[in-house]
Amino acid sequence: MTTPPAGPGGAQGAGGAQGAGGAQGAGGAQGAGGAQGAGGAQGAGDRRPRVFIVDDHALFRAGVRAELGDQVEVVGEADDVGPAIARIIACLPDVVLLDVHLPGGGGHSVVTSVKAVHPQVRFLALSASDAPEDVIAAIRAGARGYVTKTISSAELVDAVRRVAGGDAVFSPMLAGFVLDAFAAQPGGGGERPSFDPELDQLTTREREVLRLIARGYTYKEIAGELYISVKTVESHVSSVLRKLQLSTRHQLTRWATERRLT
């Protein structure tokens, strides 16, 4: 499972190969399960993959559209959970590029809701977060891959094509999180892996609040970052303290830091 963390406009594509239309594409290195990358996987046959973009920042969505160019067909976009679910079901794209943090909740809610009725739709998480719990939550919900927003344009096009073709795409570090989580589940048994039993009991919004607390944000700053009220932040913090059996913000910060949630 490969998609390296090259920055925007980075020179190299997945596996050190050049961009999606370059001399080697991501097909130079094999993706998850040995499937070939761009040009080899033939994302959605020979036609351009139909892509839907979900992100709460309009400027970022416009940037993704521009970077993808005519290599894909962007068929729609949304900025929150509810509109995303409705519009994705209406147009049934090949691949949904999905931010995992949305004002109305975690992106995993979009994945589970759509896949319940249209399991053929494939999701590729595209997020600023590289936190293990975000990666695991997305994959548990049914996403086929997870890349960060530091990815280059060529790599993103390649990742979309590979996911459309059935590949799973992750950067090496993020792939490690997924492998560790599955390895921690004894015997498999078809059950979803548990990454951290204590962390698993928190909702996506509680995890978001916890991460920002660990980064030193004030309640007011957290409210602004997550588009919620200060009172709601306080309620989430109280819930997290209760679930983790902690009593102070300092203990929360230390707990989160020990798990590298910052």
Side-chain angles (χ1 to χ4, degrees):
M1 294 188 278
T2 59
T3 300
Q12 290 190 327
Q18 294 180 354
Q24 284 192 334
Q30 288 189 328
Q36 288 187 335
Q42 293 293 321
D46 291 328
R47 67 176 176 80
R48 295 180 299 164
R50 300 173 66 254
V51 175
F52 192 99
I53 303 169
V54 183
D55 193 283
D56 59 325
H57 294 98
L59 188 60
F60 180 79
R61 295 197 306 273
V64 171
R65 277 180 174 269
E67 294 297 329
L68 292 174
D70 60 2
Q71 307 249 12
V72 307
E73 179 187 357
V74 177
V75 295
E77 60 183 58
D79 62 359
D80 207 352
V81 174
I85 294 170
R87 294 171 193 170
I88 291 168
I89 290 175
C91 68
L92 297 180
D94 298 313
V95 177
V96 177
L97 284 175
L98 176 72
D99 190 2
V100 298
H101 294 154
L102 298 168
H108 69 279
S109 299
V110 179
V111 183
T112 53
S113 296
V114 172
K115 280 196 163 292
V117 289
H118 294 288
Q120 78 277 16
V121 177
R122 295 184 171 113
F123 288 80
L124 173 61
L126 175 61
S127 177
S129 171
D130 61 1
E133 69 272 17
D134 287 335
V135 180
I136 299 305
I139 303 311
R140 281 178 172 175
R144 291 292 300 172
Y146 195 115
V147 296
T148 64
K149 291 180 178 179
T150 59
I151 192 171
S152 72
S153 303
E155 290 171 336
L156 182 57
V157 171
D158 175 64
V160 167
R161 289 187 176 278
R162 292 174 61 191
V163 168
D167 246 352
V169 182
F170 305 89
S171 71
M173 181 181 69
L174 302 186
F177 295 154
V178 177
L179 291 173
D180 288 346
F182 276 83
Q185 186 73 22
E191 298 181 5
R192 288 175 172 174
S194 177
F195 180 73
D196 185 322
E198 289 184 296
L199 190 62
D200 282 347
Q201 64 185 315
L202 304 183
T203 67
T204 299
R205 183 62 88 189
E206 288 170 348
R207 297 179 191 187
E208 293 170 344
V209 170
L210 175 59
R211 187 182 305 108
L212 294 176
I213 285 284
R215 291 177 180 174
Y217 282 55
T218 65
Y219 286 2
K220 184 176 181 180
E221 289 171 336
I222 295 173
E225 182 75 13
L226 300 180
Y227 303 99
I228 58 179
S229 69
V230 172
K231 186 173 183 180
T232 300
V233 174
E234 293 173 346
S235 175
H236 285 312
V237 171
S238 296
S239 177
V240 172
L241 287 170
R242 183 180 67 257
K243 290 180 179 180
L244 299 181
Q245 299 183 8
L246 302 174
S247 56
T248 67
R249 175 172 175 158
H250 175 72
Q251 290 176 332
L252 269 185
T253 300
R254 186 173 61 185
W255 189 93
T257 301
E258 288 173 350
R259 287 160 176 77
R260 299 179 181 178
L261 302 184
T262 56

